[in-house]
Amino acid sequence: MKKTLTNILTVLVLFIFVSNTAGQSNELTDSLKNLLTTSDNEEKVEILNALAWEYRNSKLHKSIRYGLEAIEIAQKNNDYEGLTTAYSYTGVAFRNLGNYTEALDFYYKGLKLSKEMKLWEQTGYSYINIGNLYIYQKMYKDARLYLNKALEISDSLEDMKMKGYCYLNLARVDINTNKYDDAIN
């Protein structure tokens, strides 16, 4: 009886948390959508990217639509940073949709552009996205290769957030290849 009550309370707390978070998320997306009508193109790219990111796990087709619109505007305005971000976020939505070919295509477009324009933070995250996609496909050797490239960039930028994300994904590789001791370190 006590265990059942604990399970019910746990589910109730999770439900309340998700409900509150969803409400905040809707307010955010509604505000961003309202800003689209009054923004200039540079701001529109940022807003569209924010919407693409916000919907990447829940409304994948919306995420892709916003990402593609951001790509179109960023290309017209030579907004390379916005463009590489849009490639990345659109790729994430395609990955979450299970369309790995499209995801990889967008990731490589972002990687190529970020390297050409020397946008090293975006280059690092492109490597992480590619490595992460290879984990999904159980191509662990390739995943490690790209994640190590991202780790080098995180070290050169002294970007601890990126570095943490690299280690998280490298641990996923180690766990999936039964190298549990390496995953812990």
Side-chain angles (χ1 to χ4, degrees), residues 74-117:
Q75 285 174 330
K76 286 179 186 174
N77 294 294
N78 297 322
D79 176 359
Y80 303 118
E81 191 160 351
L83 182 56
T84 57
T85 300
Y87 283 141
S88 176
Y89 292 177
T90 305
V92 168
F94 274 114
R95 184 204 68 209
N96 290 346
L97 195 60
N99 189 335
Y100 296 158
T101 302
E102 283 293 319
L104 195 58
D105 184 49
F106 280 98
Y107 291 157
Y108 275 120
K109 285 178 184 177
L111 177 62
K112 181 179 185 245
L113 180 62
S114 65
K115 287 169 73 173
E116 286 173 6
M117 303 311 297

Side-chain angles (χ1 to χ4, degrees), residues 36-53:
L36 275 177
T37 58
T38 60
S39 299
D40 64 24
N41 283 336
E42 188 174 321
E43 289 172 335
K44 275 187 180 172
V45 170
E46 288 181 37
I47 294 166
L48 290 164
N49 278 336
L51 287 165
W53 185 252

Side-chain angles (χ1 to χ4, degrees), residues 1-164:
M1 175 73 175
K2 188 175 182 182
K3 188 174 183 178
T4 303
L5 184 58
T6 303
N7 289 342
I8 291 170
L9 287 173
T10 302
V11 170
L12 183 59
V13 168
L14 285 172
F15 176 75
I16 291 168
F17 175 76
V18 170
S19 297
N20 288 339
T21 305
Q24 292 169 356
S25 179
N26 287 340
E27 290 173 20
L28 172 66
T29 55
D30 289 345
S31 297
L32 289 171
K33 288 177 192 175
N34 289 336
L35 283 173
L36 275 177
T37 58
T38 60
S39 299
D40 64 24
N41 283 336
E42 188 174 321
E43 289 172 335
K44 275 187 180 172
V45 170
E46 288 181 37
I47 294 166
L48 290 164
N49 278 336
L51 287 165
W53 185 252
E54 184 65 28
Y55 286 128
R56 76 194 182 284
N57 292 318
S58 59
K59 298 178 181 174
L60 302 173
H61 293 290
K62 272 189 175 186
S63 177
I64 291 166
R65 188 178 79 233
Y66 286 126
L68 292 174
E69 191 175 344
I71 289 168
E72 183 180 324
I73 295 170
Q75 285 174 330
K76 286 179 186 174
N77 294 294
N78 297 322
D79 176 359
Y80 303 118
E81 191 160 351
L83 182 56
T84 57
T85 300
Y87 283 141
S88 176
Y89 292 177
T90 305
V92 168
F94 274 114
R95 184 204 68 209
N96 290 346
L97 195 60
N99 189 335
Y100 296 158
T101 302
E102 283 293 319
L104 195 58
D105 184 49
F106 280 98
Y107 291 157
Y108 275 120
K109 285 178 184 177
L111 177 62
K112 181 179 185 245
L113 180 62
S114 65
K115 287 169 73 173
E116 286 173 6
M117 303 311 297
K118 297 180 171 54
L119 300 169
W120 302 122
E121 181 180 20
Q122 290 297 323
T123 302
Y125 281 108
S126 292
Y127 283 135
I128 291 170
N129 283 333
I130 294 167
N132 194 8
L133 184 61
Y134 284 138
I135 292 170
Y136 276 82
Q137 297 176 79
K138 299 181 182 185
M139 300 169 67
Y140 301 117
K141 184 177 178 183
D142 293 327
R144 184 177 299 284
L145 175 77
Y146 281 91
L147 293 168
N148 281 329
K149 288 180 182 188
L151 190 58
E152 288 176 23
I153 290 172
S154 73
D155 285 340
S156 70
L157 296 176
E158 298 179 359
D159 186 329
M160 298 307 285
K161 180 180 172 186
M162 183 187 298
K163 188 176 213 166

